[in-house]
Amino acid sequence: MSLSPASPTETPLSAAVTYSRHLAGAPAAGAPEGLCAIAAGVAAAATDVAPADILGLTRGSSASAEARALAMYLAHVGLGLTLMQVGRGFGRHHSTVAHACRSVEDLRDDGTTDRRLDRLEEAARYAARGGRLAR
């Protein structure tokens, strides 16, 4: 799995946050569906995969599946949703979410990827707070 965007420059954190908040749209603040949409927005900005492909019910391309795994990881680890909540938010079984989280967690052995995942988790939490800094 690659966490590199298609463009040579990484998407700025602020753009990922703005985009993910736009995607979350109508769900109530803090609702699992809204938090899954935020995670999908951050993953979309980080991987240059369309949010519709990440949130789609079919597997799609390998890039879409990898971006979806990242989004599910961010929803579970970064935003604290249960595997069941993430599964419902992405239309997947909780065992699929667990597998996705393990596959992303395995990438953390690389220091650069570990730091990038930390920043993406931060971006997801920031967006979930409505763009406010933590106290």
Side-chain angles (χ1 to χ4, degrees):
M1 173 185 299
S2 170
L3 292 179
S4 306
S7 64
T9 58
E10 188 170 316
T11 304
L13 177 65
S14 60
V17 169
T18 301
Y19 186 59
S20 64
R21 275 193 275 152
H22 166 73
L23 271 182
E33 297 82 8
L35 293 175
C36 286
I38 286 170
V42 171
T47 60
D48 202 31
V49 172
D53 293 338
I54 293 173
L55 294 169
L57 296 179
T58 61
R59 183 182 189 284
S61 68
S62 62
S64 297
E66 290 173 2
R68 185 178 310 106
L70 173 61
M72 290 190 280
Y73 175 85
L74 292 173
H76 177 60
V77 175
L79 299 177
L81 296 178
T82 66
L83 296 175
M84 295 288 281
Q85 289 172 318
V86 176
R88 281 193 296 274
F90 284 89
R92 302 296 193 282
H93 192 268
H94 64 89
S95 64
T96 302
V97 177
H99 175 74
C101 290
R102 280 191 305 273
S103 68
V104 173
E105 191 66 40
D106 287 346
L107 299 174
R108 294 199 89 127
D109 292 339
D110 173 63
T112 302
T113 302
D114 185 52
R115 288 186 296 279
R116 183 135 192 254
L117 286 169
D118 283 342
R119 287 194 310 270
L120 292 173
E121 288 175 35
E122 260 182 63
R125 286 190 292 270
Y126 181 77
R129 290 190 304 270
R132 294 181 307 277
L133 296 174
R135 293 179 187 236

